[in-house]
Amino acid sequence: MTVSEVLIQGPDPEVNPEPSESGEIAGRSPMRIAMDRLLSDKVAMICAGIVLLFVLIAIFAPLLCKLFGVEVRAGDPVTDTDSFNYPVIGPPNYGFTWEAPLGLEPNSGNDLLAEWFYGARTSLLVASIATIVSTVVGVVLGLIAGYSRGWGDRVVTFVTDLFLTLPFLLVAIAVSPMLVERWRDNPSMLDDASLIALIVILSVFGWMGLARLIRGEVISLREREFIEAAHVLGMPTHRILFKELLPNLVAPIVVSFSLSLPATIAAEATLAYLGVGVTGRPSWGQTILRAQNWFDEYPLFLYAPIIGIVVLVFALNLLGDAIRDAFDPKSFR
């Protein structure tokens, strides 16, 4: 039990007592109140279902491809396209067929449904890892900066301001090729190198906002009674940071993560469209890049990845807003 749990806190007007199974009156914790708010929000639950559907698609992409009888990157330009590089089955020149529900990609003959499934996997994989890494970095640096009263706070604040001044797209376009170039002579490692480089870039530019938020919260918490009591008891600094302060920062961390994830997905698709993305793996952004020249004759080629990005990001944004409102005691949405 932490010091903050031992000390007597003032009454929370929203923690309404409710009878327990034994008939005794029990209060509700702030986390319980937030979860009840979130579960009662119909829009949030619909968005959570949509996000869960995309997650399941990403996880079971190989099984879904087998279910629909399609394969990723298995097209043959000789047999799957005609002399004008158009698909020989499905849209745009032929009707719907279960052999290729979304059609085949011009020039290559790759199945677009398989590309869509694996593109969802790539986007969620990259965005999830990058968001988790940037969240951990932001929380740690924010704790250090907020709890330190001297050079530690100044150094972290300076580094944060420095990264905020760097143009994200310009640095990403310049740095990513240099990271990948080291594995240019090793094709077997090139795909993994491009994936790691993209995750590193998104992680490096995604922690600053959370670090500032955590720093401000810690500055307000470090003068509270339970922190002073921890000092009196002789607790080491790392225990105060991670056992006393961190549990009181769960709400802003969860809200920040839920709002950062859709932004990272959109950033990954943007970088892939600009050519600074994964190579050798299906990606929604790369599909959009290849499809833009075929829009007039084959709009479905472009619409499929765009709809996937828009629906996923929109659902995550609405879910993030609902989580923020659920953890905000002043919200009456």
Side-chain angles (χ1 to χ4, degrees), residues 312-329:
L312 178 58
V313 172
F314 187 64
L316 282 169
N317 275 322
L318 289 181
L319 181 59
D321 289 340
I323 293 174
R324 179 188 59 195
D325 293 338
F327 279 95
D328 184 5

Side-chain angles (χ1 to χ4, degrees), residues 71 74-77 80-81 85 87 103-112:
E71 296 182 26
D76 186 354
D80 295 330
T81 61
N85 294 327
L104 301 178
E105 181 178 338
N107 292 328
S108 67
N110 293 329
D111 188 273
L112 293 180

Side-chain angles (χ1 to χ4, degrees), residues 122-139:
T122 300
S123 293
L124 284 173
L125 175 66
V126 171
S128 299
I129 296 177
T131 305
I132 291 173
V133 172
S134 61
T135 298
V136 172
V137 173
V139 169

Side-chain angles (χ1 to χ4, degrees), residues 38 41 43-55 58 120 123-129 131 254-268 284 307-325 333:
L38 188 62
D41 191 332
V43 175
M45 292 298 98
I46 294 174
C47 292
I50 294 174
V51 173
L52 178 61
L53 176 61
F54 275 87
V55 172
S123 293
L124 284 173
L125 175 66
V126 171
S128 299
I129 296 177
T131 305
V254 172
V255 172
S256 176
F257 182 90
S258 64
L259 295 176
S260 297
L261 186 58
T264 308
I265 292 175
E268 183 276 330
W284 282 342
I307 291 174
I309 294 172
V310 170
V311 172
L312 178 58
V313 172
F314 187 64
L316 282 169
N317 275 322
L318 289 181
L319 181 59
D321 289 340
I323 293 174
R324 179 188 59 195
D325 293 338
R333 189 168 75 91

Side-chain angles (χ1 to χ4, degrees), residues 27-316:
R28 292 189 300 166
S29 67
M31 181 64 70
R32 173 69 181 277
I33 295 174
M35 292 304 300
D36 289 344
R37 284 182 173 182
L38 188 62
L39 293 174
S40 64
D41 191 332
K42 295 181 180 180
V43 175
M45 292 298 98
I46 294 174
C47 292
I50 294 174
V51 173
L52 178 61
L53 176 61
F54 275 87
V55 172
L56 293 176
I57 289 174
I59 294 174
F60 298 107
L63 294 178
L64 290 173
C65 287
K66 290 182 180 179
L67 178 64
F68 284 92
V70 297
E71 296 182 26
V72 65
R73 300 291 169 93
D76 186 354
V78 177
T79 59
D80 295 330
T81 61
D82 57 22
S83 57
F84 297 99
N85 294 327
Y86 283 97
V88 296
I89 60 172
N93 297 328
Y94 305 94
F96 174 83
T97 174
W98 283 108
E99 295 182 36
L102 291 182
L104 301 178
E105 181 178 338
N107 292 328
S108 67
N110 293 329
D111 188 273
L112 293 180
L113 183 60
E115 294 280 326
W116 195 92
F117 286 152
Y118 278 86
R121 167 179 275 198
T122 300
S123 293
L124 284 173
L125 175 66
V126 171
S128 299
I129 296 177
T131 305
I132 291 173
V133 172
S134 61
T135 298
V136 172
V137 173
V139 169
V140 172
L141 292 181
L143 284 171
I144 295 173
Y147 191 74
S148 302
R149 288 178 169 82
W151 62 269
D153 184 20
R154 290 194 292 269
V155 169
V156 174
T157 301
F158 173 79
V159 173
T160 303
D161 293 338
L162 176 63
F163 274 87
L164 286 172
T165 61
L166 298 176
F168 168 66
L169 285 178
L170 182 60
V171 174
I173 293 174
V175 172
S176 181
M178 292 188 294
L179 295 176
V180 176
E181 187 66 27
R182 298 188 59 182
W183 288 274
R184 184 69 63 183
D185 297 331
N186 190 355
S188 61
M189 293 291 295
L190 184 59
D191 294 347
D192 293 334
S194 63
L195 180 67
I196 294 173
L198 181 59
I199 292 174
V200 168
I201 290 173
L202 292 173
S203 301
V204 166
F205 285 92
W207 59 269
M208 293 84 72
L210 180 58
R212 279 186 161 186
L213 175 63
I214 297 299
R215 175 182 176 272
E217 293 289 335
V218 172
I219 289 176
S220 65
L221 288 173
R222 71 187 183 188
E223 307 298 336
R224 298 281 295 273
E225 292 83 359
F226 67 94
I227 297 298
E228 295 296 333
H231 283 298
V232 172
L233 293 174
M235 287 187 179
T237 301
H238 67 86
R239 180 176 175 82
I240 295 176
L241 290 177
F242 296 103
K243 295 293 185 179
E244 302 296 337
L245 288 172
L246 188 58
N248 291 277
L249 301 171
V250 172
I253 293 173
V254 172
V255 172
S256 176
F257 182 90
S258 64
L259 295 176
S260 297
L261 186 58
T264 308
I265 292 175
E268 183 276 330
T270 301
L271 292 177
Y273 176 79
L274 295 175
V276 187
V278 294
T279 59
R281 298 170 184 259
S283 170
W284 282 342
Q286 291 182 356
T287 302
I288 294 173
L289 176 62
R290 297 192 301 270
Q292 62 180 354
N293 295 327
W294 298 88
F295 176 73
D296 292 335
E297 298 85 5
Y298 194 1
L300 182 60
F301 187 12
L302 181 63
Y303 286 152
I306 288 180
I307 291 174
I309 294 172
V310 170
V311 172
L312 178 58
V313 172
F314 187 64
L316 282 169

